[in-house]
Amino acid sequence: MGYRSIITALSASALVLAGCGGSSLGQSGGGQSGGEVKIGLLVPLSGVYAPLGEDMRNGFKLYLDQHGGKLGGRTIKLVTADEGAGPQTGVPAAQKLVTQDQAAAVVGVVNSATALGLRDFFHESKRPLLVANAGADDITGARKSDYVWRTSFANGKVGAALGPAVAEDAKGGVYLIAADYAAGREMVGGFRKTFEAAGGKVAGEKYTPFGKTQDYQPYLSAIRASGAKAVYTFYAGAEAVSFVKQYKQFGLAGETPLYGTGFLTEGGVLDAQGEAAVGVKTSLHYSTELDTPRNKEFVAAYRKAFNEPPTVYAVQAHDAAAVLDKALAKAPGAEGDALVKALGGVGPIDSPRGQWSFDADHDAQQKYYLREVRSKDGTVVNAVIRELK
Ligand code: PHB
């Protein structure tokens, strides 16, 4: 993932990246069977999560390139819009994709706050939104919609997967610290439930201003003063780099084990953290190190295309393309309701993360893994320790 550069030069391919307005095919959001279908890609091209957006774009593009630029037999015209740092930019960008560009479906969304801000718009405009990252619990929970589907995860579930393992490992109270917005609070909330149910004790809890915190020293001092025996956290993107590096510089890494959801040590974030991340343990539904033929083939293809290893963000977007491939094959007109019905019938997805399916709430039903950052061949990787139950 590009901490080196946020926007990569996209290679010439069957993929058409267009920023143009509606086409004659656009009136029903799809057009006649056999022609071109517009798909909107909404990912951050700016802000702390911009590199995650680049990974998602790469993952989606790889699937298209591997399938001759077609999904379900239809040539795809991809229209990309910038989610930016959150709903203020992400909501109008999505509205433009649907109303002006006439995208048959929108894929992407990194930030939980953007996803929450978009729910009613997609519900009311009856156009499918395939969330390929943002984990806001309500999107597939209290505020689920026929038109909203998720190929990634729910925040609470990624946190909950790790709770019992930390309760078992920790030698005393655990300090909870995360970015102060929906994702941070839900990843802590989900963790806390299973952690406390397994006998774990909380030594302190703190939420740091999202997108604005660069200096974690005051928070690290509070962690040390609390006497906590371990720390559990959610940060992603640029915040994850700062937190893990400062955790090490402050001297906590040697004395207080650090746990988190896997976004803490994913992709370019892990590259930037380097040796400072060694020993950090996380829960996630993917690792480049998953030892399966499907994942090895994916990692090799992704490396070949982008000259770097893939990430969970790339996999989630790649899988969104796989979902659309199956759905468009069943709903060749690509109209909202027909497409939504087809989404309900896509069945299991043969993903690099392992096979997964949509559950009744349109969330990904999948395995979670315990990962540990280890040095390997002169670099650092998320070694897979075991499946989490
Ligand atoms: C979210 O806001 O839901 C979110 C953002 C970045 C991540 C994971 C979740 O890495």
Side-chain angles (χ1 to χ4, degrees):
M1 169 165 72
Y3 280 85
R4 351 184 208 299
S5 75
I6 286 172
I7 313 291
T8 49
L10 293 172
S11 62
S13 72
L15 166 67
V16 184
L17 281 170
C20 57
S23 78
S24 58
L25 293 174
Q27 298 318 309
S28 66
Q32 292 158 3
S33 127
E36 213 169 60
V37 174
K38 274 193 191 172
I39 299 294
L41 185 67
L42 180 69
V43 291
L45 304 172
S46 54
V48 283
Y49 289 158
L52 285 51
E54 186 193 345
D55 291 0
M56 287 165 76
R57 188 149 88 160
N58 287 348
F60 198 89
K61 181 182 178 305
L62 179 63
Y63 189 96
L64 275 180
D65 285 351
Q66 290 170 328
H67 294 82
K70 290 188 176 183
L71 298 178
R74 304 286 301 269
T75 299
I76 298 300
K77 186 162 187 169
L78 198 64
V79 189
T80 303
D82 184 8
E83 179 185 341
Q88 291 83 351
T89 42
V91 171
Q95 287 168 338
K96 177 193 163 282
L97 288 172
V98 170
T99 55
Q100 190 177 324
D101 300 323
Q102 292 290 327
V106 172
V107 176
V109 190
V110 163
N111 185 314
S112 279
T114 311
L116 290 166
L118 285 175
R119 185 268 177 205
D120 288 351
F121 172 72
F122 281 90
H123 187 74
E124 278 150 27
S125 48
K126 301 191 183 304
R127 206 58 69 83
L129 170 66
L130 274 91
V131 175
N133 185 67
D137 288 343
D138 280 358
I139 286 294
T140 53
R143 296 180 66 209
K144 72 178 182 186
S145 159
D146 286 351
Y147 300 92
V148 180
W149 298 72
R150 183 153 54 197
T151 65
S152 49
F153 57 88
N155 293 324
K157 291 182 193 166
V158 195
L162 191 59
V166 179
E168 201 173 293
D169 276 13
K171 307 273 179 283
V174 174
Y175 199 99
L176 314 176
I177 181 165
D180 190 8
Y181 79 106
R185 291 194 173 259
E186 291 177 351
M187 292 208 207
V188 167
F191 171 85
R192 190 175 189 138
K193 259 191 212 144
T194 57
F195 171 71
E196 289 186 332
K201 294 276 172 284
V202 172
E205 184 170 353
K206 187 79 196 169
Y207 295 92
T208 58
F210 172 59
K212 297 190 189 89
T213 311
Q214 271 121 40
D215 179 10
Y216 290 92
Q217 299 266 342
Y219 306 110
L220 298 171
S221 299
I223 290 172
R224 182 170 278 153
S226 76
K229 295 288 183 247
V231 172
Y232 165 81
T233 190
F234 163 77
Y235 291 108
E239 293 193 323
V241 177
S242 303
F243 185 81
V244 169
K245 284 184 114 171
Q246 291 175 33
Y247 197 86
K248 170 84 174 176
Q249 280 154 10
F250 198 77
L252 275 170
E255 59 193 49
T256 314
L258 180 59
Y259 298 87
T261 44
F263 316 103
L264 187 66
T265 59
E266 190 63 8
V269 160
L270 182 59
D271 281 350
Q273 292 161 342
E275 292 293 315
V278 168
V280 176
K281 286 189 184 160
T282 64
S283 55
L284 204 65
H285 45 290
Y286 181 67
S287 165
T288 52
E289 304 308 293
L290 280 175
D291 192 9
T292 62
R294 177 74 186 93
N295 187 44
K296 285 190 163 148
E297 164 202 76
F298 174 75
V299 171
Y302 192 95
R303 276 186 182 280
K304 188 162 177 236
F306 305 109
N307 204 23
E308 62 188 9
T311 61
V312 71
Y313 309 106
V315 170
Q316 292 164 170
H318 189 267
D319 287 2
V323 164
L324 278 174
D325 196 7
K326 288 186 161 196
L328 282 169
K330 290 189 183 184
E335 279 86 9
D337 281 317
L339 187 53
V340 160
K341 191 160 173 261
L343 285 169
V346 296
I349 301 297
D350 179 26
S351 167
R353 73 182 96 167
Q355 191 172 293
W356 65 271
S357 309
F358 286 120
D359 67 13
D361 296 332
H362 307 172
D363 218 357
Q365 195 160 12
Q366 60 196 340
K367 290 179 179 165
Y368 289 92
Y369 303 97
L370 178 64
R371 320 182 315 169
E372 180 177 358
V373 177
R374 290 185 181 159
S375 303
K376 182 184 162 189
D377 304 331
T379 177
V380 277
V381 298
N382 288 294
V384 177
I385 308 297
R386 64 179 166 89
E387 191 184 324
L388 288 164
K389 295 282 180 198

